[in-house]
Amino acid sequence: MPICILGSHTTLMAQCILHVRRGLHSVGLKVHPFIKEALDNGRPVVALESTIITHGMPYPQNLSTAREVEEIVRTNGAVPATIGILNGCIQVGLQNDELESLAKAENVVKVSRRDFPYVLSQGLSGGTTVAGTMVAAHKAGIAVFVTGGIGGVHHGGEKTLDVSADLTELGRTPVAVVSAGVKSILDIGRTLEYLETQGVCVATFGESREFPAFFSRQSGFQAPYKVQNEEEAAKLIARSLALQLGSGVLIAVPCPEEEAASGQFIEEAIQQALRESREKEITGKELTPFLLQRVNELSSGKSLNSNIALIKNNAKVGSRIAVALNKIQRAQGRREGPTPSGKTFSAPRPVVIGGINVDFIAKAKGSAIVDGGQTNPSTVRQSFGGVGRNLADCLSRLGKIPVFISAMGKDEHSESVLRYCRHMDMSGVSQLDGHNTATYCAVITGSGELRLGLGDMEIHQQITEQYVSGFRENLCRAPLVCIDGNVPVSTIQYVCQFAREHHLAVYYEPTDVDKASKPFFSDSWRALACVSPNLRELRAISRALGHPVPADLPSKLEDVVETAVSLVLPLLRELHCVVVTLGQHGVLVCGQSTDGSVSLHPGSCSKTVAGELCAAHYPAIPVPVEEIMNVSGAGDSLMAGIIGGLLNGEDSDTCVRMGLLSAILSLRSHEPISPEINATSVSMEQVQAQRWLGTKTWKLS
């Protein structure tokens, strides 16, 4: 029975994908951690080619189109994975700088199946064709691939054998290709015949079986089948994969109605270009470049605009098909089968719950800011912040991509956030019509200190307990949960209660003085494992609990540490540890003692003598004032670095120093979280290479 077929190969398919991924690096194929994480956790991923970047369009249209297509894929619920070759390595999931590098590169190779051995062995860079992208996508375990149009049989191909490798690849690689058919410069009739010979299932998308000719909705040829919507297309692909035929599926999407008029004009230009090529006796590999250039000239550039519109439409349709296919696979448990090691593909991930802000940072050029309405000379930059976003950003750069739960509006700011946060998993971020994405304006002195902050944060109230409860499974499986003070009190209370019931480690980032006390107005805080305030936030927390607090805070290091310890001690009756950020004075860590240092995670603390507590002061890495660019994300970088170390299983000293390394990188960056943070720049090796000032550790009464 068909249903049995779909389920019977589940474990085998999972095992095969696992074996393939284990061998990826040995064949020069690198899957970006974010793409691997998405695949391992059963999220829909869409492959995208790169010859459209390297050979299909001029700069900068090629780069902007690549980014826009990726954004369309994200908007429609899937994860984009652009595939290309950089310095002899196949990259699945090109990042922003890598896209730009390919977009600007000259004389790069156009890479199909036959070209891989040479290009990789020579350490070259190149754009992958449809065939090349199918090969890489299949090796990475990606089932759906979106492109503009596929190659085909050229006119006279029965004599010249000029047949695109895309067609033979479709016959031997089980990847679904979503395209706008083939250009009418090709022999569409013979192309369809060749696909039939190769055993490729071809279906048009929509009401008609009329096979599209790229710019035109009509070619005069009928496809064998049609699928009317994304669900039907997904079912077709699922059946093909389950049967293990070894061949691909071609879904031909007609151009949008609004492009049909210009499409007809372009088709006339194509026919004229074909006539000219015959008159000039242009054939072979020179034919296609001549035709594309001539068509662009004859259409006054309209062919490029239509090309971009078609690709964007394909991306929308293809990503929705990938989402529908993913639902079918999840229902069948495709990614839930055990691996040979007995583990499942879905790995537990940390969860971060908190705010997203679009930040406008104004830094005075002078050492002092003059009040009274005057305009102070300054530099003003836009960046992306929010404590929750900062934590998720830094953890993602460290390779510990968390489940990030947040909310923002559906506006121009949210679009820029998604573009910037493309290295993060943003699937847990709710986009709400009629709401503004949170914005924040910070005024910073010339020395880098925050003088004033203004913000529109109403959207954070939409991070409700009802919304967060939809992620119960992620919360239950999380090695730790981070929540910031932007979240409503009711949501914090829900998370704390959930943590108490399921024995979860919850880390609270207070955010600012006004929000620091949110968990402490009830007994919710007793379920927290750790809090990470600065000294002012720590005083606000102590005040909320009714403890005596100093009216003024000291500035000398000895007095700062003494004050912090006195405020921390009452909290340690319930909390596992407290991490106090001290700015230029470094960080103070207080909590339960294990092996002579402070335990940072409840799960890492062995049974100790009741009341045995200790404190450790870690001096900051000195940074010249003129090198400090931004202080807004340093504390978040510190905590994310510490958490990254914990997730790596490092000891407490190493974790804190990884946090300090992260903080220093962000202090020197214009962005709240430095783009230079990664698993190499913040690692055990870098901790060992750094010259550290002495750490002081002592027992607490």
Side-chain angles (χ1 to χ4, degrees), residues 661 683-692:
L661 287 175
S683 62
M684 166 69 86
E685 292 73 22
Q686 288 300 316
V687 168
Q688 293 172 340
Q690 176 70 37
R691 294 177 64 89
W692 298 96

Side-chain angles (χ1 to χ4, degrees), residues 72 392 412 415 474 496 527 667 698 700:
I72 290 169
E412 68 278 6
E415 292 174 4
N474 301 101
C496 289
L667 282 172
W698 67 98
L700 299 177

Side-chain angles (χ1 to χ4, degrees), residues 63-268:
L63 179 59
S64 61
T65 299
R67 289 172 173 168
E68 289 166 9
V69 167
E70 286 196 341
E71 186 59 37
I72 290 169
V73 173
R74 290 191 196 92
T75 301
N76 285 279
V79 178
T82 302
I83 295 173
I85 300 177
L86 293 172
N87 303 316
C89 181
I90 306 168
Q91 304 273 357
V92 179
L94 292 174
Q95 296 305 285
N96 216 21
D97 56 338
E98 295 167 335
L99 284 173
E100 187 165 358
S101 175
L102 275 182
K104 291 180 176 178
E106 297 180 358
N107 302 319
V108 292
V109 187
K110 193 173 182 180
V111 184
S112 187
R113 172 184 279 266
R114 70 162 190 181
D115 308 299
F116 279 121
Y118 180 79
V119 172
L120 269 60
S121 67
Q122 296 294 314
L124 303 178
S125 298
T128 51
T129 64
V130 169
T133 305
M134 288 181 72
V135 171
H138 178 53
K139 286 185 178 295
I142 302 172
V144 178
F145 162 37
V146 166
T147 184
I150 65 167
V153 179
H154 282 265
H155 288 284
E158 71 277 12
K159 299 176 183 177
T160 63
L161 298 182
D162 192 353
V163 179
S164 171
D166 298 349
L167 305 186
T168 51
E169 202 61 52
L170 275 161
R172 60 186 171 188
T173 302
V175 170
V177 178
V178 180
S179 82
V182 298
K183 292 185 176 72
S184 60
I185 61 174
L186 300 169
D187 189 328
I188 295 176
R190 283 193 169 88
T191 296
L192 289 171
E193 290 286 350
Y194 195 93
L195 287 169
E196 180 183 353
T197 302
Q198 293 293 315
V200 180
C201 183
V202 179
T204 56
F205 185 86
E207 297 293 331
S208 172
R209 281 177 49 212
E210 179 80 21
F211 191 79
F214 203 70
F215 295 119
S216 174
R217 295 174 67 88
Q218 291 88 30
S219 66
F221 296 92
Q222 296 285 300
Y225 308 108
K226 68 175 181 179
V227 287
Q228 298 196 49
N229 51 45
E230 292 87 356
E231 288 72 24
E232 286 191 10
K235 289 178 183 177
L236 175 69
I237 297 166
R239 294 289 180 177
S240 178
L241 293 173
L243 287 167
Q244 296 183 303
L245 298 174
S247 54
V249 172
L250 177 62
I251 305 295
V253 182
C255 70
E257 291 282 1
E258 58 269 23
E259 294 296 324
S262 60
Q264 183 58 41
F265 173 71
I266 295 167
E267 284 301 322
E268 293 171 2

Side-chain angles (χ1 to χ4, degrees), residues 289-344:
F290 168 80
L291 291 174
L292 293 176
Q293 180 179 348
R294 187 66 182 129
V295 168
N296 194 47
E297 293 170 355
L298 292 169
S299 67
S300 302
K302 287 185 178 178
S303 64
L304 177 59
N305 295 334
S306 293
N307 197 355
I308 293 171
L310 291 177
I311 293 164
K312 290 180 178 179
N313 185 59
N314 292 347
K316 180 179 71 174
V317 173
S319 53
R320 290 177 179 178
I321 291 173
V323 170
L325 175 63
N326 182 258
K327 289 179 181 177
I328 294 172
Q329 292 173 333
R330 280 180 175 273
Q332 295 162 354
R334 180 190 183 287
R335 295 189 183 271
E336 297 172 5
T339 69
S341 64
K343 299 179 181 179
T344 59

